[in-house]
């Protein structure tokens, strides 16, 4: 009778896998459908080329260029600063820290940081800014986003480096390479596709986050002209417009969501393509 | 005259992984410009001994070394010695070849670039020269800028040989360098090694007795972390002094 059980197990698990597959696909399509069907009608050139005019939030003229530019500034800045620290940390964990215990402590800390809700980062950033006497500003938002993105990026890179077969750095050491040469000339070359993915993963998380920039970057109808002026962002544009009682403004919230989704989608596809191109020289 | 001095020598060398002792009081000499083969059953410490010769043992977690390894009379474990200089003096062929994640050309040029700057012209010449020595030039000369990962595994091992030679080492270390290769590629590598012993001291680990008989000029037989017998190949193979060597050579274990 054993064969019959195996057959049933097989079928049951296959069913479960198909179900998950279907659920994932369905949710994605449903989200896209909602955003597109509600957002497309009010999406216009005006929406992406103008800043809000007077009465915009009551349904009058204007666009959300302030939020688009603000979001790009915030996410690009945050990603850049996170990269500045995440990449060296990932190298440190894998090449220089010979004591595995320390590396594991750092990894655990990063995992905890990764799991902290973004509103906590927002509150932390806000507290810090009050302490420093800063107002809500682009710089405050960038730094908070960098904090939010840093653990994601560092851990993603760390995992990529850990998957490199140990014989590869050894081959470099055998040629008389120093640790630094091994790290930058050999390891980095091998994991470039993974680095690209890690950066864009963190960027996607950063540009979509509302809670961390709520207090730190603030919101403004103007395009930020310095690091110390407040900056609007797309997630908050969605949030504020959805919160109004006017249907036409609520519809614009969906257009803002659509724009955000297109940016994130574009970034994901670029990262896929980039990984593929950079993978050409990697050793498998 | 340096020819009379052994190229490499170990004195009371012991190695530990954590609390496990992998090498016990190994004192051997490795003659210059000959092929020395370290043989013995698996787990006897052959590879550990090889790793001690270029300080690769330090890359293992919890590894510890006692005793001396003398390269031309100088202890490579002395704290004043730069580890990259030690490794530069020996090329390594691993069991499975690992090309660097770059083009065929850059693989060979890598060692040249990190150790001294060379002009484009000199690089081109050197890359060609070492690929020729490794017997790979004819097969790759038209695709030098393709990723090295596109080569077959046998070609990759020869690329690793060329890459190692480009650093201008004095010694070639091989950890069963033919074990992952098909017979034809293995023969290719063996032939190269025999040619190269005129200019390099070669130390190979092997568990294939027939290969050892084909290649070895000098043999080190190990068992359970100790050197049981060492000497010129014909002597060890034909007149083994030790009971265990005799048993191993006759295929008893």
């Amino acid at each position: 009778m054993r064969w019959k059980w195996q057959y049933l197990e097989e079928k049951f698990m296959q069913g479960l896998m198909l179900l998950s597959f279907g659920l994932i696909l369905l949710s994605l399509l449903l989200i896209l459908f909602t955003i597109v069907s509600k957002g497309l009608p009010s999406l216009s050139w005006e929406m992406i080329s103008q800043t809000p005019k007077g009465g915009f939030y009551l349904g009058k003229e204007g666009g959300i260029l302030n939020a688009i530019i603000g979001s790009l500034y915030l996410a690009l800045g945050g990603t850049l600063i996170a990269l500045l620290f995440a990449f060296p940390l990932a190298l440190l964990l894998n090449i220089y820290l010979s004591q595995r215990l320390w590396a594991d402590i750092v990894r655990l800390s990063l995992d905890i940081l990764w799991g902290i809700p973004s509103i906590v980062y927002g509150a932390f950033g806000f507290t810090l800014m009050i302490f420093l006497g800063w107002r809500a500003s682009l710089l405050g938002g960038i730094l908070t986003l960098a904090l939010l993105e840093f653990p994601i990026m560092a851990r993603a890179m760390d995992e990529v480096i850990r998957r490199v077969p140990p014989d590869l750095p050894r081959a470099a050491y055998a040629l008389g390479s120093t640790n630094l040469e091994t790290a930058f000339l050999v390891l980095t070359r091998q994991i470039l596709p993974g680095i690209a993915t890690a950066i864009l993963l963190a960027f996607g998380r950063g540009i979509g986050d509302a809670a961390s920039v709520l207090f730190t970057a603030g919101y403004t109808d103007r395009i930020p002209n310095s690091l110390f002026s407040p900056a609007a962002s797309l997630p908050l544009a969605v949030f504020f417009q959805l919160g109004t009682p006017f249907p036409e403004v609520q519809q614009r919230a969906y257009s803002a969501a659509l724009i955000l989704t297109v940016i994130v989608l574009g970034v994901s596809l670029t990262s896929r393509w980039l990984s593929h191109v950079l993978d050409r020289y990697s050793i498998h | 005259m340096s020819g009379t001095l052994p190229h490499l020598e170990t004195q009371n060398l012991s190695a530990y992984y954590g609390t496990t002792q992998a090498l016990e009081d190994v004192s051997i000499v490795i003659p210059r410009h000959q092929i020395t083969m370290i043989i013995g059953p698996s787990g006897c410490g052959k590879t550990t001994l090889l790793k001690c010769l270029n300080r690769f043992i330090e890359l293992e977690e919890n590894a510890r070394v006692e005793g001396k390894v003398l390269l031309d009379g100088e202890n490579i474990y002395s704290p004043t010695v730069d580890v990259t200089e030690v490794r530069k003096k020996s090329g390594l062929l691993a069991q499975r070849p690992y090309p660097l994640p770059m083009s065929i050309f850059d693989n060979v040029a890598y060692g040249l670039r990190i150790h001294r700057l060379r002009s484009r012209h000199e690089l081109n010449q050197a890359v060609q020269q070492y690929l020729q020595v490794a017997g790979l030039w004819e097969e790759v000369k038209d695709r030098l800028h393709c990723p090295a990962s596109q080569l077959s595994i046998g070609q990759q091992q020869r690329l690793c040989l060329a890459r190692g030679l480009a650093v201008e080492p004095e010694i070639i270390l091989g950890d069963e360098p033919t074990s992952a290769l098909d017979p034809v590629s293995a023969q290719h590598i063996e032939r190269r090694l025999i040619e190269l012993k005129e200019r390099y001291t070669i130390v190979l680990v092997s568990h294939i007795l027939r290969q050892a008989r084909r290649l070895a000029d000098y043999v080190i037989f190990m068992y359970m972390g100790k050197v049981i017998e060492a000497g010129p190949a014909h002597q060890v193979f034909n007149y083994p002094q030790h009971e265990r060597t005799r048993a191993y050579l006759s295929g008893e274990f």
Side-chain angles (χ1 to χ4, degrees):
Chain A
M1 288 312 282
R2 190 170 141 69
W3 65 271
K4 192 161 187 184
W5 269 114
Q6 284 178 323
Y7 177 79
L8 285 176
E9 277 172 1
E10 187 75 18
K11 283 290 157 202
F12 176 72
M13 289 313 287
Q14 273 182 11
L16 210 61
M17 291 175 210
L18 274 175
L19 187 70
S20 335
F21 172 72
L23 274 176
I24 291 280
L25 207 64
L26 199 70
S27 343
L28 179 65
L29 289 177
L30 215 62
I31 292 174
L32 284 179
F33 176 75
T34 313
I35 297 174
V36 172
S37 65
K38 291 198 177 183
L40 209 52
S42 56
L43 188 67
S44 60
W45 179 242
E46 197 188 349
M47 273 290 282
I48 51 177
S49 65
Q50 289 188 17
T51 53
K53 301 280 179 298
F56 177 71
Y57 299 99
L58 302 170
K60 298 260 173 66
E61 287 179 358
I64 50 163
L65 184 65
N66 59 330
I68 297 175
I69 300 281
S71 258
L72 286 177
Y73 280 173
L74 284 165
L76 282 177
T79 306
L80 209 67
I81 293 178
L83 176 64
L84 227 53
F85 293 94
F87 184 55
L89 180 69
L91 289 179
L92 173 82
L93 286 180
N94 290 286
I95 293 195
Y96 288 89
L97 270 189
S98 50
Q99 291 275 323
R100 196 172 285 171
L101 179 68
W102 275 110
D104 283 340
I105 290 174
V106 175
R107 287 193 180 104
L108 181 68
S109 323
L110 287 174
D111 286 343
I112 294 170
L113 286 174
W114 188 329
I116 289 178
S118 60
I119 187 76
V120 178
Y121 280 103
F124 174 71
F126 187 56
T127 318
L128 211 65
M129 285 165 65
I130 289 177
F131 179 74
L132 293 171
W134 289 10
R135 298 265 186 98
S137 61
L138 183 59
L139 187 62
I142 286 177
L143 292 178
T144 311
L145 276 186
L147 275 177
L148 175 83
E149 291 183 27
F150 167 72
I152 300 171
M153 209 189 279
R155 274 301 264 139
M157 286 181 183
D158 176 45
E159 284 303 321
V160 182
I161 300 182
R162 284 217 283 182
R163 279 211 307 270
V164 174
D167 282 331
L168 187 63
R170 277 187 196 159
Y173 286 128
L175 298 169
S177 312
T178 60
N179 278 335
L180 201 68
E181 286 160 347
T182 307
F184 279 96
L185 300 177
V186 177
L187 261 186
T188 307
R189 193 71 201 74
Q190 169 77 8
I191 60 162
L192 267 185
I195 294 178
T197 309
I199 292 174
L200 294 165
L201 184 75
F203 178 86
R205 174 76 198 275
I207 200 167
D209 199 74
S212 57
V213 291
L214 181 62
F215 308 122
T216 52
Y219 199 85
T220 168
D221 285 351
R222 266 179 287 177
I223 293 172
N225 53 12
S226 90
L227 280 173
F228 297 100
S229 48
S233 51
L234 281 168
L236 289 179
V238 176
F239 177 66
F240 289 141
Q241 294 181 108
L242 265 184
T244 63
F246 313 109
E248 58 268 48
V249 181
Q250 286 178 1
Q251 266 215 330
R252 284 183 188 160
Y254 283 101
S255 330
L258 183 58
I259 293 168
L260 182 57
T261 309
V262 167
I263 293 178
V264 172
L265 209 67
V267 165
S268 310
L269 291 178
T270 314
S271 98
R272 278 293 163 104
W273 173 78
L274 208 61
S275 297
H276 180 74
V277 171
L278 294 173
D279 199 41
R280 194 167 124 85
Y281 286 96
S282 299
I283 304 298
H284 295 290
Chain B
M1 173 67 196
S2 63
T4 53
L5 220 96
H7 203 168
L8 272 166
E9 186 177 355
T10 72
Q11 290 178 353
N12 311 104
L13 186 70
S14 293
Y16 305 82
Y17 297 114
T19 52
T20 331
Q21 187 163 12
L23 283 185
E24 200 180 325
D25 201 26
V26 170
S27 298
I28 46 153
V29 294
I30 289 171
R32 191 179 297 272
H33 296 183
Q34 292 190 8
I35 297 183
T36 297
M37 294 200 83
I38 308 171
I39 60 171
S42 32
C44 69
K46 308 186 287 279
T47 301
T48 303
L49 175 56
L50 195 76
K51 281 180 180 166
C52 287
L53 300 182
N54 66 348
R55 286 181 58 175
F56 249 45
I57 188 88
E58 291 168 17
L59 299 175
E60 307 289 331
E61 203 160 351
N62 296 322
R64 191 161 52 83
V65 176
E66 285 167 9
K68 285 180 184 172
V69 174
L70 306 177
L71 200 167
D72 282 324
E74 191 191 6
N75 183 15
I76 63 171
Y77 285 91
S78 144
T80 54
V81 168
D82 177 7
V83 67
T84 58
E85 282 303 312
V86 171
R87 292 186 184 145
K88 215 187 109 180
K89 285 187 182 162
S90 53
L92 178 76
L93 287 176
Q95 264 188 38
R96 188 181 174 270
Y98 264 97
L100 302 174
M102 41 189 94
S103 70
I104 296 169
F105 182 93
D106 287 341
N107 258 274
V108 184
Y110 176 87
L112 300 164
R113 286 184 177 133
I114 63 168
H115 290 301
R116 64 217 134 162
L117 277 176
R118 289 243 207 160
S119 69
R120 189 84 215 161
H121 175 70
E122 279 176 309
L123 272 180
N124 286 340
Q125 261 189 337
V127 167
Q128 173 171 0
Q129 179 200 333
Y130 291 116
L131 282 172
Q132 278 168 338
V133 175
L136 190 62
W137 174 252
E138 286 302 320
E139 291 159 60
V140 300
K141 63 180 176 190
D142 300 321
R143 46 173 177 150
L144 288 173
H145 296 283
C146 289
S149 53
Q150 285 177 0
L151 297 174
S152 76
I153 190 158
Q155 291 172 321
Q156 287 184 5
Q157 190 63 294
R158 277 178 282 152
L159 179 68
C160 289
L161 181 62
R163 175 181 78 187
L165 294 178
V167 190
E168 292 179 4
E170 303 166 8
I171 300 163
I172 298 171
L173 304 175
D175 185 4
E176 305 191 17
T178 59
S179 64
L181 308 186
D182 61 277
V184 178
S185 304
Q187 216 177 24
H188 248 304
I189 293 282
E190 283 189 13
R191 227 178 282 143
R192 293 300 148 201
L193 290 173
I194 291 173
E195 286 170 18
L196 288 169
K197 73 176 176 186
E198 278 181 29
R199 275 174 293 150
Y200 302 90
T201 298
I202 299 176
V203 187
L204 300 177
V205 163
S206 182
H207 67 270
I208 311 166
L209 263 178
R210 267 182 303 170
Q211 187 182 46
R213 284 184 204 272
R214 276 198 301 272
L215 296 179
D217 301 307
Y218 192 86
V219 173
I220 296 166
F221 172 64
M222 294 185 66
Y223 184 72
M224 305 268 280
K226 285 188 220 166
V227 170
I228 305 297
E229 192 164 345
H234 64 91
Q235 188 187 313
V236 176
F237 284 137
N238 299 327
Y239 314 103
Q241 301 296 302
H242 201 282
E243 192 56 46
R244 260 218 172 87
T245 322
R246 238 169 281 156
Y248 182 72
L249 291 175
S250 63
E252 279 177 37
F253 63 94

